[in-house]
């Protein structure tokens, strides 16, 4: 059907419309060949030349591998492997790495609005899972560490706080999303350096994992960064982030950059 649409558009002298929905993106099982490129915005983009995160390494193990969402820009893969080493040296982990991006990025049929350009990753707060074979890393419980009143669960501890700091304290990181209660806890702790707190941004439904977003790779002109976070630590007047908060009206699906059409349609190698 996609080829028929392409022929029709060509016959009419029109550009084929770029897919807006998740259809197609989750069906592609291999990355697009060529140099690594993050194209567009985190919530409206795609990824060429992706690399797969090895399913385990020092300090981490990837979970839910059957989703085939363990691909990222090489910068993200390098970041995660370096973070795993730092966590291992700190005696934390192995941490559980959740979704990165699909093989060619793009919109997902469930679970995320962002994670489209290979620069986003979810890291679970659960720290009590020993090394497991890859086929035993699906369906693991993901405990929520903030209750409905915005109070931290007693299981939240200094190791979780250190995990967030180690994840955020890297110049490649643009933002780290966590629940507001977690941000408050981090702000209340004593740290030798507090500059990284600026990157910690409260966001709903981030009470069982942290979400790291990297900056656009240097020289990647097709990649669109978010504006910098506001100045300061962001520790004043932190608004609650309950899971029940939803937008009054759904936002329209953003259009993908035109370059994503060729990324999606490139034949498998």
């Amino acid at each position: 059907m996609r080829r028929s649409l392409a022929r029709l558009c060509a016959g009419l002298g029109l550009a084929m419309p770029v897919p807006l929905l998740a259809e197609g993106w989750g069906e592609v099982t291999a990355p697009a060949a060529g140099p690594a490129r993050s194209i567009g915005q985190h919530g409206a983009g795609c990824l060429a030349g992706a690399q797969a995160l090895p399913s385990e390494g020092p300090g981490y193990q990837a979970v839910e591998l059957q989703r085939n969402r363990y691909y990222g820009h090489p910068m993200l893969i390098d970041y995660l492997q370096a973070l795993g080493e730092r966590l291992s040296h700190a005696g934390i982990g192995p941490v559980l790495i959740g979704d990165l991006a699909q093989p060619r990025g793009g919109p997902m049929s469930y679970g995320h609005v962002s994670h489209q350009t290979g620069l986003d990753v979810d890291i679970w707060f659960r720290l009590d899972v020993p090394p497991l074979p890859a086929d035993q890393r699906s369906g693991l419980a993901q405990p929520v560490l903030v209750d409905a009143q915005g109070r931290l669960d007693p299981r939240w501890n200094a190791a979780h706080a250190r995990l967030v700091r180690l994840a955020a304290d890297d110049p490649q990181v643009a933002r780290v999303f966590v629940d507001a209660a977690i941000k408050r806890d981090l702000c209340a702790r004593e740290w030798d350096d507090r500059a990284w707190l600026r990157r910690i941004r409260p966001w709903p439904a981030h009470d069982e994992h942290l979400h790291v977003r990297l900056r656009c790779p240097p020289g990647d002109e097709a990649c669109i960064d978010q504006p910098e976070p506001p100045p300061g630590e962001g520790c004043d007047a932190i608004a609650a982030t309950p899971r029940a908060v939803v937008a009054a009206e759904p936002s329209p699906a953003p259009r993908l950059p035109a370059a994503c059409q060729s990324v999606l349609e490139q034949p498998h190698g």
Side-chain angles (χ1 to χ4, degrees):
M1 180 176 179
R2 190 177 302 281
R3 291 179 181 174
S4 299
L5 179 58
R7 287 196 295 268
L8 175 61
C9 289
L12 296 174
L14 301 174
M16 182 174 171
V18 177
L20 299 181
L21 303 178
E23 296 174 4
W25 292 96
E27 299 167 8
V28 179
T29 59
R37 292 181 297 147
S38 291
I39 302 168
Q41 305 175 58
H42 300 89
C46 58
L47 173 65
Q51 286 186 6
L53 177 71
S55 63
E56 62 270 322
Y60 81 88
Q61 53 186 338
V63 297
E64 304 297 345
L65 297 171
Q66 77 283 356
R67 295 184 182 184
N68 203 32
R69 294 177 175 181
Y70 46 81
Y71 293 86
H73 189 281
M75 188 172 81
L76 179 63
I77 304 304
D78 289 345
Y79 162 84
L80 286 171
Q81 291 179 314
L83 176 61
E85 293 274 3
R86 296 167 69 196
L87 292 168
S88 181
H89 292 155
I92 300 172
V95 296
L96 306 181
I97 304 295
D99 289 347
L100 282 69
Q102 298 172 138
R104 303 187 188 187
M108 298 182 182
S109 59
Y110 67 93
H112 307 282
V113 173
S114 60
H115 290 253
Q116 295 192 30
T117 59
L119 299 172
D120 293 275
V121 59
D122 289 345
I123 302 174
W124 290 22
F125 284 132
R126 187 170 178 188
L127 300 177
D128 63 345
V129 179
L132 295 173
D135 61 1
Q136 294 181 23
R137 294 189 226 137
S138 63
L140 296 174
Q142 194 172 7
V144 172
L145 297 182
V146 181
D147 68 17
Q149 287 71 47
R151 297 172 301 202
L152 278 171
D153 188 278
R155 288 171 291 185
W156 174 267
N157 58 43
H160 294 104
R162 185 83 187 281
L163 163 62
V164 178
R165 179 185 178 166
L166 288 171
D169 200 5
D170 186 307
Q172 300 175 100
V173 173
R175 284 167 168 75
V176 174
F177 299 103
V178 298
D179 187 88
I182 294 171
K183 170 80 175 189
R184 291 192 199 97
D185 177 87
L186 297 171
C187 288
R189 291 177 182 266
E190 296 291 333
W191 304 101
D192 57 345
D193 169 53
R194 299 177 64 86
W196 57 274
L197 285 167
R198 181 187 181 196
R199 303 185 187 113
I200 309 300
R201 313 307 298 176
W203 204 255
H206 287 70
D207 45 18
E208 20 76 308
H209 74 279
L210 61 116
H211 173 168
V212 177
R213 173 168 296 163
L214 300 189
R215 303 178 189 280
C216 284
D220 208 336
E221 297 181 357
C223 183
I224 302 173
D225 259 327
Q226 286 184 271
E228 286 290 314
E233 297 176 359
C235 290
D236 298 326
I238 300 172
T241 52
R243 280 178 170 257
V245 172
V246 294
E249 296 182 5
S251 301
R255 293 193 65 82
L256 300 180
C260 289
Q261 176 180 325
S262 60
V263 171
L264 178 60
E265 296 184 339
Q266 185 183 112
H268 288 197

